[in-house]
Amino acid sequence: MTWILGVNAPPTGWHDTAACLVNGDGEVIAFTEEERCNRRRHSLYRKPAGAARFCLAQAGITAADIDVVALGWDSEQLYPRRFASDADFLAYAVGLDFGDHTPEVVRVPHHQAHAASSFYASPFTEAGVLVIDGHGENESSTIWHYKDGAEPRLERSWQRTASLGYAYDAASTWLGFSFLNAGKTMGLAAYGRATQLEVAPLVELTADDFHLAVDPLTENRGTATADEIKEQYDTVVGRWREHYTKIAGADGPNAPEDRLTEDPNAILVAYTAQRLIEQTVTHLAALTRKTAGVDALCLSGGVALNCSTNGTLPGPLYVPPVPHDAGVALGAAWTVRPPRRREGALSPYLGVEVGAPDRLNAAGAGDISGLVRAALDIDELAGLLLAGQVGAVAQGRAEVGPRALCRRSIIAVPDTADVNTRVNTLKNREQWRPFAGVTRPDYGSQLWEQQEYLSLYMLGAAKATALGRRVAPGVVHIDGTTRPQVLHGDEAPAVGAALDALQRHGAPPVLLNTSFNDKGEPVVNTADDALAAFRAMDLDFLVLGDALYRKPNRAGGVR
């Protein structure tokens, strides 16, 4: 059997490091982000050793069995002559002991890895693929044509410093966020949309191109080292920040992070940057379809995490569960060995198995002392939810990617706006940040605009209907949208069964769904993680595998 280990790894992939294992048929055996293993958010500058070890254990193999390590970057361009050999590179970047065997190292250009991760995860046999992020090695946006059985074609590319990602990073840092917290910028921008705020356009669109308000740099050559790219990044982001300062008349917000909605300048900058993304991505999406000569469209790259933009694009549209840099671990592996058989869209449940509850009493297992344990009864779970309790689910193999998809989720009935306040409080988040809803397909068609594929992974905003606003106000944002997930079968058994039980009780079968983690923490991974988070947070119950845990003196029942 052939084994390919895909990685996003330092020094090239210095954030959101990850590992993915595929076999000789291109079948994904395991895939997880390193942050889930080392419990350090975004796993900055850390090799994906824990993620790689999990992948090997899932397949029952050792590092000596790996034939190819595929990296989602051209490390030779970015760090020329840094490593004397592939063995030196693997020791630094991956951290596995390959023994006397050094696997082949394949360096896949960053945007190609992004494109492969999206197309081969999609249900399409042919598609145009649009990749937009901060930068790859030599580009910031690319258009590709992918077709099963054919070599992918790069159709168009835009230079590094004509970067939509840089423009959005500048807005995020102007607001006081990290560039890794761009989702906060998107959430704040909705307050501008809700008031129909007029903003100055930051892009000029032409028939087959776009020109940003901040001109790209003159790049003296097509390739650059990592140090040169960093210098370019700092220069361009600095110019964008100066531009936002001119727009706002201030060099930063006049309110703390938890009260940014009280600062008109903060809303103005967030919404101005958001409109730039929406206008340009809409234009590039149409250009991708025209250039590729096919209507099916795949998106990838960090900008594809912008759910508000995704939700405005016409279908057929697919965004994979891991569009950001962690996803190039999958795309690099698939570039080496594309999947031979594909049936529908990729399942995101490729991570660590939480472990059955009866294993919790083993040596070194999670501390369950003081908790009340019972076998999971779905009607009891529905009763707790209907009584207004907020709880968490940790069940089965974890989902990969930044969205909790009901296997590592906090859930609640969203029948009042107050639940939004409580869940933001227990997650130690700003009160202006929104939540997503999850339901079944038939009811989802009544609650919000339909999405064929985006609702598989909560990657597209959708306008809530009048019914949605009435029965689920806790998951409707200030601009009238939500970021829905639809469960089609038993892919998330406890939450799916709870939705069905709510309907049997005569209640709307819809739940608030958000990631099971406290502020600054990665999403929980193992039973130990789940129990520790349950104790630390003001949650009422925990579904762990097939058991229901509660804290003493917590009342509840069907109301």
Side-chain angles (χ1 to χ4, degrees):
M1 174 66 75
T2 300
W3 295 104
I4 301 102
L5 182 69
V7 294
N8 183 45
T12 48
W14 60 271
H15 63 85
D16 298 304
T17 56
C20 176
L21 183 69
V22 305
N23 64 18
D25 291 325
E27 177 188 3
V28 183
I29 304 302
F31 184 14
T32 193
E33 296 177 65
E34 180 65 21
E35 69 166 23
R36 299 286 188 103
C37 302
N38 66 21
R39 310 308 300 156
R40 295 179 182 272
R41 193 75 180 269
H42 297 294
S43 194
L44 302 179
Y45 303 103
R46 289 175 171 84
K47 62 190 72 177
R53 285 193 293 269
F54 154 69
C55 290
L56 299 180
Q58 189 68 30
I61 63 174
T62 70
D65 296 308
I66 297 296
D67 299 283
V68 178
V69 173
L71 173 69
W73 291 90
D74 183 354
S75 60
E76 291 294 282
Q77 174 191 316
L78 298 178
Y79 294 91
R81 300 176 300 280
R82 177 163 178 175
F83 300 101
S85 66
D86 282 349
D88 288 342
F89 168 77
L90 291 171
Y92 179 92
V94 183
L96 295 180
D97 182 4
F98 292 99
D100 296 332
H101 162 70
T102 299
E104 178 186 2
V105 176
V106 176
R107 295 165 175 87
V108 178
H110 189 61
H111 273 221
Q112 184 174 358
H114 269 311
S117 75
S118 187
F119 174 71
Y120 293 123
S122 80
F124 307 139
T125 58
E126 182 179 11
V129 184
L130 175 61
V131 179
I132 310 176
D133 60 4
H135 62 80
E137 293 85 3
N138 308 307
E139 59 282 300
S140 58
S141 300
T142 50
I143 291 174
W144 301 76
H145 178 259
Y146 269 73
K147 184 176 181 179
D148 276 348
E151 287 294 314
R153 287 201 315 266
L154 173 62
E155 303 282 4
R156 289 283 303 273
S157 66
W158 283 262
Q159 67 187 90
R160 279 184 302 269
T161 54
S163 171
L164 295 176
Y166 289 7
Y168 213 74
D169 283 1
S172 298
T173 55
W174 186 96
L175 290 163
F177 309 144
S178 161
F179 80 96
L180 294 168
N181 294 133
K184 292 186 180 184
T185 306
M186 182 178 65
L188 185 63
Y191 288 81
R193 191 191 320 279
T195 59
Q196 298 182 320
L197 184 65
E198 292 289 335
V199 298
L202 297 182
V203 61
E204 177 188 351
L205 304 175
T206 61
D208 62 354
D209 210 342
F210 67 92
H211 304 282
L212 299 175
V214 172
D215 291 332
L217 302 180
T218 299
E219 298 173 22
N220 294 325
R221 56 195 177 95
T223 62
T225 66
D227 288 341
E228 291 169 328
I229 292 172
K230 176 64 165 59
E231 183 177 349
Q232 292 174 350
Y233 173 87
D234 290 341
T235 299
V236 175
V237 169
R239 291 179 182 178
W240 273 110
R241 286 194 60 164
E242 290 172 1
H243 199 78
Y244 293 126
T245 293
K246 290 178 182 177
I247 289 171
D251 60 4
N254 294 316
E257 192 169 315
D258 61 344
R259 292 168 48 199
L260 283 178
T261 53
E262 301 173 17
D263 182 358
N265 285 336
I267 294 172
L268 174 63
V269 168
Y271 188 50
T272 299
Q274 180 63 31
R275 287 297 297 148
L276 166 64
I277 298 298
E278 291 171 359
Q279 291 168 333
T280 313
V281 172
T282 298
H283 183 64
L284 290 178
L287 187 58
T288 301
R289 287 180 159 123
K290 177 183 176 182
T291 303
V294 61
D295 202 33
L297 174 66
C298 299
L299 299 184
S300 196
V303 173
L305 282 174
N306 194 298
C307 303
S308 295
T309 298
N310 297 346
T312 67
L313 300 175
L317 171 66
Y318 178 82
V319 182
V322 195
H324 63 303
D325 272 10
V328 302
L330 173 62
W334 267 343
T335 298
V336 173
R337 190 59 56 89
R340 291 180 181 172
R341 294 179 297 275
R342 292 199 286 147
E343 296 180 5
L346 177 73
S347 168
Y349 305 110
L350 298 165
V352 172
E353 167 68 50
V354 76
D358 61 4
R359 293 165 55 190
L360 290 176
N361 291 318
D367 177 16
I368 59 173
S369 61
L371 300 179
V372 179
R373 181 189 185 279
L376 177 61
D377 180 277
I378 295 300
D379 284 320
E380 180 184 8
L381 174 61
L384 297 175
L385 290 164
L386 287 168
Q389 295 204 5
V390 178
V393 175
Q395 192 175 53
R397 289 184 69 176
E399 53 275 84
V400 67
R403 306 284 183 251
L405 300 172
C406 296
R407 293 213 187 167
R408 302 292 190 276
S409 289
I410 291 171
I411 57 174
V413 169
D415 56 354
T416 70
D418 289 344
V419 72
N420 185 296
T421 300
R422 185 186 170 198
V423 178
N424 267 326
T425 298
L426 68 86
K427 283 176 66 76
N428 292 301
R429 302 197 326 171
E430 301 82 6
Q431 288 297 336
W432 48 265
R433 294 178 63 187
F435 289 107
V438 60
T439 189
R440 293 294 198 184
D442 290 346
Y443 199 61
S445 65
Q446 303 175 52
L447 295 181
W448 43 65
E449 295 169 337
Q450 290 306 283
Q451 303 173 335
E452 189 171 5
Y453 301 115
L454 294 179
S455 59
L456 292 174
Y457 319 121
M458 293 200 311
L459 283 171
K463 199 76 174 177
T465 64
L467 177 64
R469 294 191 299 273
R470 186 171 73 251
V471 304
V475 296
V476 178
H477 198 22
I478 187 72
D479 62 351
T481 66
T482 190
R483 188 181 62 204
Q485 182 189 4
V486 173
L487 294 178
H488 293 265
D490 63 354
E491 61 266 40
V495 175
L499 290 170
D500 298 339
L502 291 176
Q503 191 165 33
R504 290 197 304 271
H505 283 286
V510 57
L511 289 169
L512 179 152
N513 169 30
T514 188
S515 56
F516 185 10
N517 61 305
D518 205 345
K519 184 176 182 178
E521 296 281 339
V523 180
V524 305
N525 205 29
T526 65
D528 281 4
D529 300 335
L531 286 163
F534 179 53
R535 290 182 181 281
M537 302 171 74
D538 188 28
L539 292 163
D540 297 308
F541 63 82
L542 169 65
V543 174
L544 184 58
D546 294 326
L548 178 67
Y549 288 87
R550 300 180 64 195
K551 295 169 182 175
N553 305 316
R554 294 264 177 159
V558 178
R559 61 181 180 187

